[in-house]
Amino acid sequence: GAGVSQSPSNKVTEKGKDVELRCDPISGHTALYWYRQSLGQGLEFLIYFQGNSAPDKSGLPSDRFSAERTGGSVSTLTIQRTQQEDSAVYLCASSGGLYSGNTIYFGEGSWLTVV
Amino acid sequence: EDQVTQSPEALRLQEGESSSLNCSYTVSGLRGLFWYRQDPGKGPEFLFTLYSAGEEKEKERLKATLTKKESFLHITAPKPEDSATYLCAVQAGNNDMRFGAGTRLTVKP
């Protein structure tokens, strides 16, 4: 696609429910990143994929968070048993295309509110 | 551990008042330093990539420079539409990208 696409753009969920956030990277990009941004805060690194493998999972805040990437393309970030502190914007980015090199390009984010 | 520190946290300028934003970093094997602009409710928008000390890039009123320890984003004669949060990020040899907390810039007319 032309840009990084994320869905849903907004999600309100009840505490304790599971949520799935989807990221469709720029076509041809080999690397995919997930970040979390709380209101008024900087970007917190969560996980990075190169192809389908995740060399760096160090940023996942707890074992309630998991992510996978299939076919070297779409990625899903899953949060189980959501807590109120999980409320944030979840940003996906991709890089590694033929002409973009290692510059990462972001989607517009998925706004998660846990009530 | 790789670290990225941006200063100041917030900067208020009058229209036309030039200034600079700072990004200090410590990283093993720098592959690139990146500047992004983020408007409220939006994802970060790519501005520049710098790869080696001494490199400079320009775009409209913005100019980014890089040394071995820090990068500056110079804003010349800013306009209100330059108001945004400016993020700096470094990419190390393992390919992951670490961001600073950002500088929130407000330009008053």
Coordinates of all heavy atoms in Angstrom, one line a residue, chain A residues 12-83:
Chain A
V12 N -12.4 1.1 22.1 CA -12.7 1.3 23.5 C -13.1 -0.1 24.0 O -13.9 -0.8 23.4 CB -13.9 2.2 23.8 CG1 -14.2 2.3 25.3 CG2 -13.6 3.6 23.2
T13 N -12.4 -0.6 25.0 CA -12.6 -1.9 25.5 C -12.8 -1.9 27.0 O -12.3 -1.0 27.7 CB -11.5 -2.9 25.1 OG1 -11.9 -4.2 25.4 CG2 -10.2 -2.6 25.8
E14 N -13.4 -3.0 27.6 CA -13.6 -3.1 29.0 C -12.3 -3.8 29.6 O -11.7 -4.7 29.0 CB -14.8 -3.9 29.3 CG -16.1 -3.2 29.0 CD -17.3 -4.0 29.3 OE1 -17.1 -5.2 29.7 OE2 -18.4 -3.5 29.2
K15 N -12.0 -3.3 30.8 CA -10.9 -3.9 31.5 C -11.1 -5.4 31.6 O -12.2 -5.9 31.8 CB -10.8 -3.3 32.9 CG -9.8 -3.9 33.8 CD -9.9 -3.2 35.2 CE -8.9 -3.9 36.2 NZ -9.0 -3.3 37.5
G16 N -10.0 -6.2 31.3 CA -10.0 -7.6 31.3 C -10.2 -8.3 30.0 O -10.0 -9.5 29.8
K17 N -10.7 -7.5 29.0 CA -10.9 -8.1 27.7 C -9.6 -8.1 26.9 O -8.7 -7.4 27.2 CB -11.9 -7.2 26.9 CG -13.3 -7.1 27.5 CD -14.2 -8.3 27.1 CE -15.6 -8.0 27.6 NZ -16.5 -9.0 27.3
D18 N -9.6 -9.0 25.9 CA -8.4 -9.0 25.0 C -8.7 -8.1 23.8 O -9.8 -8.0 23.3 CB -8.2 -10.5 24.5 CG -7.9 -11.4 25.6 OD1 -7.7 -11.0 26.7 OD2 -7.8 -12.7 25.3
V19 N -7.6 -7.5 23.2 CA -7.7 -6.7 22.0 C -6.6 -7.1 21.0 O -5.5 -7.6 21.4 CB -7.6 -5.2 22.3 CG1 -8.8 -4.7 23.1 CG2 -6.3 -4.8 22.9
E20 N -6.9 -7.0 19.8 CA -6.0 -7.2 18.7 C -5.9 -5.9 17.8 O -6.9 -5.4 17.4 CB -6.4 -8.4 17.8 CG -6.2 -9.7 18.4 CD -6.4 -10.8 17.4 OE1 -6.9 -10.5 16.2 OE2 -6.2 -12.0 17.7
L21 N -4.7 -5.5 17.6 CA -4.4 -4.3 16.8 C -3.6 -4.8 15.6 O -2.7 -5.6 15.7 CB -3.6 -3.3 17.6 CG -4.2 -2.9 18.9 CD1 -3.2 -1.9 19.6 CD2 -5.6 -2.3 18.8
R22 N -4.0 -4.3 14.4 CA -3.5 -4.8 13.2 C -2.6 -3.7 12.5 O -3.0 -2.5 12.5 CB -4.6 -5.2 12.2 CG -4.2 -5.7 10.8 CD -5.4 -5.9 9.9 NE -5.0 -6.0 8.5 CZ -4.9 -7.1 7.9 NH1 -5.3 -8.3 8.4 NH2 -4.6 -7.1 6.6
C23 N -1.6 -4.1 11.8 CA -0.7 -3.2 11.1 C -0.4 -3.8 9.7 O 0.1 -4.9 9.6 CB 0.6 -3.0 11.8 SG 1.8 -2.0 10.9
D24 N -0.7 -3.0 8.7 CA -0.3 -3.4 7.3 C 0.8 -2.5 6.8 O 0.5 -1.3 6.6 CB -1.6 -3.3 6.4 CG -1.5 -4.1 5.2 OD1 -0.4 -4.5 4.8 OD2 -2.5 -4.4 4.6
P25 N 2.0 -3.0 6.7 CA 3.1 -2.1 6.4 C 3.1 -1.7 5.0 O 2.4 -2.2 4.1 CB 4.4 -3.0 6.7 CG 3.9 -4.4 6.4 CD 2.4 -4.4 6.8
I26 N 4.0 -0.8 4.6 CA 4.2 -0.3 3.3 C 4.7 -1.6 2.5 O 5.6 -2.3 2.9 CB 5.3 0.8 3.2 CG1 4.6 2.1 3.8 CG2 5.7 1.1 1.7 CD1 5.6 3.2 4.0
S27 N 4.2 -1.7 1.3 CA 4.5 -2.9 0.5 C 6.0 -3.0 0.2 O 6.6 -2.0 -0.2 CB 3.7 -2.8 -0.9 OG 4.0 -3.9 -1.7
G28 N 6.6 -4.1 0.5 CA 8.0 -4.3 0.2 C 8.9 -4.0 1.4 O 10.1 -4.3 1.3
H29 N 8.3 -3.4 2.4 CA 9.2 -3.1 3.6 C 9.4 -4.4 4.4 O 8.5 -5.1 4.7 CB 8.5 -2.1 4.5 CG 8.7 -0.7 4.0 ND1 8.5 0.4 4.8 CD2 9.2 -0.2 2.8 CE1 8.8 1.5 4.1 NE2 9.3 1.1 2.9
T30 N 10.7 -4.6 4.8 CA 11.0 -5.9 5.5 C 11.0 -5.8 7.0 O 10.8 -6.8 7.7 CB 12.4 -6.3 5.0 OG1 13.3 -5.3 5.3 CG2 12.5 -6.6 3.5
A31 N 11.1 -4.6 7.5 CA 11.2 -4.4 8.9 C 9.9 -3.7 9.4 O 9.3 -2.9 8.7 CB 12.4 -3.5 9.3
L32 N 9.4 -4.1 10.6 CA 8.2 -3.6 11.1 C 8.4 -3.4 12.6 O 9.0 -4.2 13.3 CB 7.0 -4.6 10.9 CG 5.6 -4.1 11.3 CD1 4.6 -4.7 10.3 CD2 5.3 -4.5 12.7
Y33 N 7.9 -2.2 13.1 CA 8.1 -1.8 14.5 C 6.7 -1.5 15.1 O 5.8 -1.0 14.5 CB 8.9 -0.5 14.6 CG 10.3 -0.6 13.9 CD1 10.4 -0.5 12.5 CD2 11.4 -0.7 14.7 CE1 11.7 -0.6 11.9 CE2 12.7 -0.8 14.1 CZ 12.8 -0.7 12.7 OH 14.0 -0.7 12.1
W34 N 6.6 -1.8 16.4 CA 5.5 -1.4 17.2 C 6.0 -0.5 18.3 O 7.0 -0.8 19.0 CB 4.8 -2.6 17.8 CG 3.8 -3.3 16.9 CD1 4.1 -4.5 16.3 CD2 2.5 -3.0 16.6 NE1 3.0 -4.9 15.6 CE2 2.0 -4.0 15.7 CE3 1.7 -1.9 16.9 CZ2 0.7 -4.0 15.1 CZ3 0.4 -1.9 16.3 CH2 -0.1 -2.9 15.5
Y35 N 5.3 0.7 18.5 CA 5.6 1.6 19.6 C 4.3 1.9 20.3 O 3.2 1.8 19.8 CB 6.2 2.9 19.1 CG 7.6 2.8 18.5 CD1 7.7 2.4 17.1 CD2 8.7 3.0 19.3 CE1 9.0 2.3 16.6 CE2 10.0 2.9 18.7 CZ 10.1 2.6 17.4 OH 11.4 2.5 16.8
R36 N 4.5 2.3 21.6 CA 3.3 2.8 22.4 C 3.6 4.2 22.8 O 4.7 4.6 23.1 CB 3.1 1.9 23.6 CG 2.0 2.3 24.5 CD 1.7 1.3 25.5 NE 2.7 1.2 26.6 CZ 2.6 0.4 27.6 NH1 1.5 -0.4 27.8 NH2 3.5 0.3 28.6
Q37 N 2.6 5.0 22.7 CA 2.7 6.4 23.1 C 1.5 6.8 24.0 O 0.4 6.9 23.6 CB 2.7 7.4 21.9 CG 3.1 8.8 22.2 CD 3.3 9.6 21.0 OE1 2.6 9.4 20.0 NE2 4.2 10.6 21.1
S38 N 1.8 7.0 25.3 CA 0.8 7.5 26.2 C 0.6 9.0 26.1 O 1.5 9.7 25.5 CB 1.2 7.2 27.7 OG 1.4 5.8 27.8
L39 N -0.5 9.5 26.5 CA -0.9 10.9 26.3 C 0.2 11.8 26.7 O 0.7 11.8 27.9 CB -2.2 11.2 27.0 CG -2.8 12.5 26.7 CD1 -3.3 12.5 25.2 CD2 -4.1 12.8 27.6
G40 N 0.7 12.7 25.8 CA 1.7 13.7 26.1 C 3.1 13.1 26.3 O 4.0 13.8 26.7
Q41 N 3.3 11.8 26.1 CA 4.6 11.2 26.3 C 5.3 10.8 25.0 O 4.7 11.0 23.9 CB 4.4 9.9 27.1 CG 3.7 10.1 28.4 CD 4.5 11.0 29.4 OE1 5.7 10.7 29.6 NE2 3.9 12.0 29.9
G42 N 6.6 10.4 25.1 CA 7.4 10.0 24.0 C 7.0 8.6 23.5 O 6.1 8.0 24.1
L43 N 7.7 8.1 22.5 CA 7.4 6.8 22.0 C 8.2 5.7 22.8 O 9.4 5.8 23.0 CB 7.9 6.7 20.5 CG 6.9 7.2 19.5 CD1 6.6 8.7 19.6 CD2 7.4 6.8 18.1
E44 N 7.4 4.7 23.2 CA 8.0 3.6 23.9 C 8.1 2.4 23.0 O 7.1 1.9 22.5 CB 7.1 3.3 25.1 CG 7.6 2.0 25.9 CD 6.5 1.6 26.9 OE1 5.4 2.3 27.0 OE2 6.7 0.7 27.6
F45 N 9.3 1.9 22.8 CA 9.6 0.8 21.9 C 9.0 -0.5 22.5 O 9.2 -0.8 23.6 CB 11.1 0.6 21.6 CG 11.5 -0.6 20.9 CD1 11.3 -0.7 19.5 CD2 11.9 -1.7 21.6 CE1 11.7 -1.8 18.9 CE2 12.3 -2.9 20.9 CZ 12.2 -2.9 19.6
L46 N 8.3 -1.2 21.6 CA 7.7 -2.5 22.1 C 8.4 -3.7 21.5 O 8.9 -4.5 22.2 CB 6.2 -2.5 21.7 CG 5.3 -1.5 22.4 CD1 3.8 -1.6 21.9 CD2 5.4 -1.6 23.9
I47 N 8.4 -3.7 20.1 CA 8.9 -4.9 19.4 C 9.3 -4.6 18.0 O 8.7 -3.6 17.4 CB 7.9 -6.1 19.5 CG1 8.5 -7.4 19.0 CG2 6.7 -5.7 18.7 CD1 7.7 -8.6 19.3
Y48 N 10.2 -5.3 17.5 CA 10.7 -5.1 16.1 C 10.8 -6.4 15.4 O 11.2 -7.4 15.9 CB 12.1 -4.4 16.2 CG 13.1 -4.7 15.1 CD1 12.9 -4.2 13.8 CD2 14.2 -5.4 15.3 CE1 13.8 -4.4 12.8 CE2 15.1 -5.7 14.3 CZ 14.9 -5.2 13.1 OH 15.8 -5.4 12.0
F49 N 10.3 -6.4 14.2 CA 10.3 -7.6 13.3 C 11.2 -7.4 12.1 O 11.2 -6.3 11.5 CB 8.9 -8.0 12.8 CG 8.0 -8.5 13.8 CD1 7.1 -7.7 14.5 CD2 7.9 -9.9 14.0 CE1 6.3 -8.2 15.4 CE2 7.1 -10.4 14.9 CZ 6.2 -9.6 15.6
Q50 N 12.0 -8.3 11.8 CA 12.8 -8.4 10.5 C 12.2 -9.6 9.8 O 12.5 -10.7 10.2 CB 14.3 -8.5 10.7 CG 15.1 -8.4 9.5 CD 14.9 -7.2 8.7 OE1 15.0 -6.1 9.2 NE2 14.7 -7.3 7.4
G51 N 11.5 -9.4 8.7 CA 10.7 -10.5 8.1 C 9.7 -10.9 9.1 O 9.0 -10.1 9.7
N52 N 9.6 -12.2 9.4 CA 8.6 -12.8 10.3 C 9.2 -13.0 11.7 O 8.5 -13.4 12.6 CB 8.1 -14.1 9.8 CG 7.2 -13.9 8.6 OD1 6.6 -12.8 8.4 ND2 7.1 -14.9 7.8
S53 N 10.5 -12.8 11.9 CA 11.1 -13.0 13.2 C 11.3 -11.7 13.9 O 11.5 -10.7 13.4 CB 12.4 -13.8 13.0 OG 13.3 -13.0 12.3
A54 N 11.3 -11.9 15.3 CA 11.4 -10.7 16.1 C 12.7 -10.8 16.9 O 12.7 -11.3 18.0 CB 10.2 -10.7 17.1
P55 N 13.8 -10.2 16.4 CA 15.1 -10.2 17.1 C 15.1 -9.4 18.4 O 15.9 -9.7 19.3 CB 16.1 -9.6 16.1 CG 15.3 -9.1 14.9 CD 13.9 -9.4 15.1
D56 N 14.1 -8.5 18.6 CA 14.1 -7.7 19.7 C 12.7 -7.6 20.3 O 11.9 -6.8 19.7 CB 14.7 -6.3 19.4 CG 15.0 -5.5 20.7 OD1 14.5 -5.9 21.8 OD2 15.6 -4.4 20.6
K57 N 12.4 -8.3 21.4 CA 11.1 -8.2 22.0 C 11.3 -7.5 23.4 O 10.3 -7.6 24.2 CB 10.6 -9.7 22.3 CG 10.4 -10.5 21.1 CD 9.9 -11.9 21.4 CE 9.7 -12.7 20.2 NZ 9.2 -14.1 20.5
S58 N 12.4 -6.9 23.6 CA 12.7 -6.4 24.9 C 11.8 -5.3 25.4 O 11.7 -5.1 26.6 CB 14.1 -5.8 24.9 OG 14.2 -4.7 24.0
G59 N 11.0 -4.7 24.6 CA 10.1 -3.6 25.0 C 8.8 -4.0 25.4 O 8.0 -3.2 26.0
L60 N 8.4 -5.3 25.2 CA 7.0 -5.7 25.6 C 6.9 -5.6 27.1 O 7.7 -6.2 27.8 CB 6.8 -7.1 25.1 CG 6.7 -7.3 23.6 CD1 6.5 -8.8 23.3 CD2 5.6 -6.5 23.0
P61 N 5.9 -4.8 27.6 CA 5.8 -4.5 29.0 C 5.5 -5.6 29.9 O 5.9 -5.6 31.1 CB 4.8 -3.4 29.1 CG 4.1 -3.3 27.7 CD 4.9 -4.1 26.8
S62 N 4.8 -6.6 29.4 CA 4.5 -7.8 30.3 C 4.1 -9.0 29.4 O 4.0 -8.8 28.2 CB 3.3 -7.4 31.2 OG 2.1 -7.4 30.5
D63 N 3.9 -10.1 30.0 CA 3.5 -11.3 29.2 C 2.1 -11.2 28.7 O 1.6 -12.1 28.0 CB 3.8 -12.6 30.0 CG 3.0 -12.6 31.3 OD1 2.1 -11.8 31.5 OD2 3.2 -13.6 32.1
R64 N 1.4 -10.2 29.0 CA 0.0 -10.0 28.4 C 0.1 -9.5 27.0 O -0.9 -9.5 26.3 CB -0.8 -9.0 29.3 CG -1.1 -9.4 30.7 CD -2.1 -8.5 31.4 NE -1.5 -7.2 31.6 CZ -1.8 -6.1 30.9 NH1 -2.7 -6.2 29.9 NH2 -1.2 -4.9 31.2
F65 N 1.3 -9.0 26.6 CA 1.5 -8.4 25.3 C 2.2 -9.5 24.4 O 3.2 -10.0 24.8 CB 2.4 -7.2 25.4 CG 1.7 -6.0 25.9 CD1 1.4 -5.9 27.3 CD2 1.3 -4.9 25.1 CE1 0.7 -4.8 27.8 CE2 0.7 -3.8 25.6 CZ 0.4 -3.7 27.0
S66 N 1.7 -9.6 23.2 CA 2.4 -10.5 22.2 C 2.2 -9.9 20.8 O 1.3 -9.1 20.6 CB 1.9 -11.9 22.3 OG 0.5 -12.0 22.0
A67 N 3.0 -10.3 19.9 CA 2.9 -9.8 18.6 C 3.4 -10.9 17.6 O 4.3 -11.7 18.0 CB 3.7 -8.5 18.3
E68 N 2.8 -10.9 16.5 CA 3.3 -11.8 15.4 C 3.2 -11.1 14.1 O 2.5 -10.1 13.9 CB 2.5 -13.1 15.4 CG 1.0 -12.9 15.0 CD 0.3 -14.3 14.9 OE1 0.9 -15.3 15.3 OE2 -0.8 -14.3 14.4
R69 N 4.0 -11.7 13.2 CA 4.0 -11.2 11.8 C 4.0 -12.4 10.9 O 4.8 -13.3 11.1 CB 5.2 -10.3 11.5 CG 5.1 -9.6 10.2 CD 6.3 -8.7 10.0 NE 6.2 -7.9 8.7 CZ 7.2 -7.3 8.1 NH1 8.4 -7.4 8.6 NH2 7.0 -6.6 7.0
T70 N 3.1 -12.4 9.9 CA 3.0 -13.5 9.0 C 3.2 -13.1 7.6 O 2.8 -11.9 7.2 CB 1.6 -14.1 9.1 OG1 0.6 -13.2 8.9 CG2 1.4 -14.7 10.5
G71 N 3.9 -13.9 6.8 CA 4.1 -13.7 5.4 C 4.9 -12.5 5.1 O 4.9 -11.9 4.0
G72 N 5.7 -12.1 6.1 CA 6.6 -10.9 6.0 C 5.8 -9.6 5.8 O 6.4 -8.6 5.3
S73 N 4.5 -9.6 6.1 CA 3.7 -8.5 5.8 C 2.9 -8.0 7.1 O 3.5 -7.5 8.0 CB 2.8 -8.7 4.7 OG 2.0 -7.6 4.4
V74 N 1.7 -8.4 7.2 CA 0.8 -7.9 8.2 C 1.3 -8.4 9.6 O 1.7 -9.5 9.8 CB -0.7 -8.4 8.0 CG1 -1.6 -8.1 9.1 CG2 -1.2 -7.8 6.7
S75 N 1.1 -7.5 10.6 CA 1.4 -7.8 12.0 C 0.2 -7.6 12.9 O -0.6 -6.6 12.6 CB 2.6 -7.0 12.4 OG 2.9 -7.2 13.8
T76 N 0.1 -8.4 13.9 CA -0.9 -8.2 14.9 C -0.3 -8.1 16.3 O 0.5 -8.9 16.6 CB -1.9 -9.4 14.9 OG1 -2.4 -9.6 13.6 CG2 -3.0 -9.2 15.9
L77 N -0.7 -7.1 17.0 CA -0.3 -6.9 18.4 C -1.5 -7.2 19.2 O -2.6 -6.7 19.1 CB 0.1 -5.4 18.7 CG 0.5 -5.1 20.1 CD1 1.8 -5.8 20.5 CD2 0.7 -3.6 20.3
T78 N -1.3 -8.2 20.1 CA -2.4 -8.7 21.0 C -2.1 -8.3 22.4 O -1.0 -8.5 22.9 CB -2.6 -10.2 20.9 OG1 -2.8 -10.5 19.5 CG2 -3.7 -10.7 21.7
I79 N -3.1 -7.7 23.1 CA -3.0 -7.4 24.5 C -4.1 -8.2 25.2 O -5.3 -8.1 24.9 CB -3.2 -5.9 24.8 CG1 -2.3 -5.1 23.9 CG2 -2.9 -5.6 26.3 CD1 -2.6 -3.6 24.0
Q80 N -3.7 -9.1 26.1 CA -4.6 -9.9 26.8 C -5.0 -9.3 28.2 O -4.1 -8.6 28.8 CB -4.0 -11.3 27.0 CG -3.8 -12.1 25.8 CD -3.2 -13.5 26.0 OE1 -2.2 -13.6 26.8 NE2 -3.7 -14.5 25.5
R81 N -6.2 -9.5 28.6 CA -6.6 -9.1 29.9 C -6.2 -7.6 30.1 O -5.5 -7.3 31.1 CB -6.0 -10.0 31.0 CG -6.3 -11.4 30.9 CD -5.7 -12.3 32.0 NE -4.3 -12.1 32.1 CZ -3.4 -12.7 31.3 NH1 -3.8 -13.5 30.3 NH2 -2.1 -12.5 31.5
T82 N -6.8 -6.8 29.3 CA -6.4 -5.4 29.3 C -6.6 -4.7 30.6 O -7.5 -5.0 31.4 CB -7.1 -4.6 28.2 OG1 -8.5 -4.8 28.4 CG2 -6.7 -5.0 26.8
Q83 N -5.7 -3.8 30.9 CA -5.7 -3.0 32.1 C -5.8 -1.5 31.7 O -5.5 -1.1 30.6 CB -4.4 -3.2 33.0 CG -4.2 -4.6 33.3 CD -5.2 -5.2 34.3 OE1 -5.6 -4.5 35.2 NE2 -5.7 -6.4 34.0

